[in-house]
């Protein structure tokens, strides 16, 4: 969410009515999340000036660990230097820390491609935004899910119940530090996640949703202490419930 929102912001800056705007003091502390969108808090160091040049050798974009040769345009400006400076700063301050983590395994290669392409400045802001929107579409639609044997049949579902909240085993990347709370596309995906975790004996699908509209599921090491909840469904492994009365 943070990276996509940042890319949308940089897309606007690259195509603003004032021309391509560069953020000269590009630091994480200059941004804040407002209603799920990343905003710039300080525009004092923003500029529409692009570096003047006489030849391509005048257009080297320098960073502490990398340099990029750019082209000198016919009007004597380094082509796309503001856009590229913003994009590489987004890569080194945000993408490298946030993109490699927390995505479903099937989507990680696509995010690695974005990371590599922006790190080498092979992508401009237009290509980067398209790549992010493709990943978001796959994530929201569930098209990233690989065809696997149906696992939900191995669970008993009880509508209108959930377990008593409390500390349980933890997992990564959980929305709660007290247990294992993950977003899912469907109960079938939740069953696959539960089967992959040794501690998991049950999971609860609630009406709570993430910013992408995906429901949240809480994965548990037991299924005792059920309480009524009209907005939840608890799924219990048949093997865990055998010999016990529900």
């Amino acid at each position: 969410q943070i990276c996509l929102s940042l890319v949308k912001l940089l897309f606007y800056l690259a195509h603003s009515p004032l021309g391509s705007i560069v953020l000269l003091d590009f630091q994480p502390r200059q941004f804040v999340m407002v209603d799920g969108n990343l905003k710039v808090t300080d525009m004092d160091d923003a500029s529409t000036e692009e570096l003047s040049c006489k030849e391509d050798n005048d257009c080297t974009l320098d960073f502490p660990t990398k340099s990029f040769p750019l082209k000198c345009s016919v009007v004597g400006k380094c082509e796309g230097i503001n856009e590229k400076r913003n994009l590489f700063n987004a890569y080194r301050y945000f993408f490298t820390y946030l993109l490699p983590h927390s995505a479903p395994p099937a989507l990680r290669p696509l995010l690695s491609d974005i990371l590599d392409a922006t790190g080498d400045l092979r992508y401009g802001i237009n290509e980067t935004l398209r790549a992010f929107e493709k990943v978001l579409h796959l994530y929201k639609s569930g098209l990233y899910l690989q065809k696997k044997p149906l696992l939900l049949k191995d669970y008993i579902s009880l509508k209108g119940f959930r377990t008593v909240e409390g500390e349980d085993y933890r997992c990564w990347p959980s929305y709660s530090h007290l247990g294992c709370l993950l977003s899912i596309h469907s109960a079938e995906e939740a069953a696959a996640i539960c089967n992959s975790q040794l501690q998991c004996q049950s999971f609860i699908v609630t009406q709570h949703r993430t910013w992408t509209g995906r429901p949240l599921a809480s994965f548990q090491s037991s299924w005792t202490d059920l309480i009524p909840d009209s907005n939840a469904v608890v799924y219990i492994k048949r093997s865990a419930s055998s010999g016990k009365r529900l």
Side-chain angles (χ1 to χ4, degrees), residues 57-107:
N57 288 338
D58 297 330
C59 294
T60 301
L61 182 56
D62 289 316
F63 292 95
T65 58
K66 273 190 175 183
S67 296
F68 300 95
L70 304 181
K71 296 289 186 181
C72 182
S73 71
V74 293
V75 295
K77 298 289 183 180
C78 296
E79 286 185 0
I81 192 168
N82 288 352
E83 173 187 329
K84 293 180 185 298
R85 184 183 298 276
N86 284 341
L87 190 54
F88 189 79
N89 278 327
Y91 159 81
R92 66 180 181 139
Y93 287 120
F94 287 89
F95 298 172
T96 54
Y97 297 104
L98 299 177
L99 285 188
H101 310 291
S102 77
L107 291 178

Side-chain angles (χ1 to χ4, degrees), residues 28-246:
R29 64 174 180 268
Q30 303 283 36
F31 299 89
V32 65
M33 290 292 285
V34 179
D35 296 328
N37 295 306
L38 208 65
K39 306 285 187 181
V40 183
T41 60
D42 186 0
M43 293 292 289
D44 288 347
D45 294 304
S47 173
T48 58
E49 291 295 320
E50 292 198 306
L51 187 65
S52 297
C53 57
K54 294 182 178 178
E55 56 184 28
D56 291 350
N57 288 338
D58 297 330
C59 294
T60 301
L61 182 56
D62 289 316
F63 292 95
T65 58
K66 273 190 175 183
S67 296
F68 300 95
L70 304 181
K71 296 289 186 181
C72 182
S73 71
V74 293
V75 295
K77 298 289 183 180
C78 296
E79 286 185 0
I81 192 168
N82 288 352
E83 173 187 329
K84 293 180 185 298
R85 184 183 298 276
N86 284 341
L87 190 54
F88 189 79
N89 278 327
Y91 159 81
R92 66 180 181 139
Y93 287 120
F94 287 89
F95 298 172
T96 54
Y97 297 104
L98 299 177
L99 285 188
H101 310 291
S102 77
L107 291 178
R108 288 173 192 168
L110 296 178
L111 294 177
S112 293
D113 289 345
I114 294 175
L115 198 61
D116 293 341
T118 53
D120 294 334
L121 286 184
R122 287 185 284 108
Y123 280 1
I125 191 62
N126 295 356
E127 295 87 351
T128 303
L129 180 58
R130 282 198 296 269
F132 267 101
E133 289 179 335
K134 176 183 176 181
V135 174
L136 179 63
H137 171 68
L138 294 173
Y139 185 60
K140 293 174 69 173
S141 65
L143 290 173
Y144 68 91
L145 293 170
Q146 299 170 350
K147 290 185 178 180
K148 295 180 178 179
L150 298 179
L151 302 173
L152 200 58
K153 59 180 174 41
D154 297 327
Y155 290 77
I156 297 169
S157 65
L158 296 174
K159 295 182 179 180
F161 289 92
R162 63 175 173 83
T163 57
V164 177
E165 293 183 5
E167 282 199 43
D168 208 315
Y169 76 91
R170 295 172 176 84
C171 67
W172 176 260
S174 176
Y175 283 82
S176 169
H177 68 281
L178 297 177
C180 185
L181 185 66
L182 303 174
S183 76
I184 57 169
H185 177 258
S186 64
E188 186 64 51
E189 183 183 16
I193 293 172
C194 189
N195 277 23
S196 70
Q197 299 173 345
L198 292 177
Q199 306 99 314
C200 187
Q201 296 297 316
S202 65
F203 62 89
I204 304 148
V205 179
T206 70
Q207 296 296 313
H208 299 294
R209 294 181 179 270
T210 69
W211 67 281
T212 59
R214 289 162 56 97
L216 289 173
S218 176
F219 297 86
Q220 314 251 323
S221 60
S222 67
W223 56 271
T224 55
D225 299 325
L226 295 178
I227 58 175
D229 185 338
S230 60
N231 295 318
V233 183
V234 60
Y235 294 84
I236 304 164
K237 280 184 178 179
R238 293 183 184 275
S239 57
S241 64
S242 60
K244 299 180 181 180
R245 294 182 61 189
L246 292 178

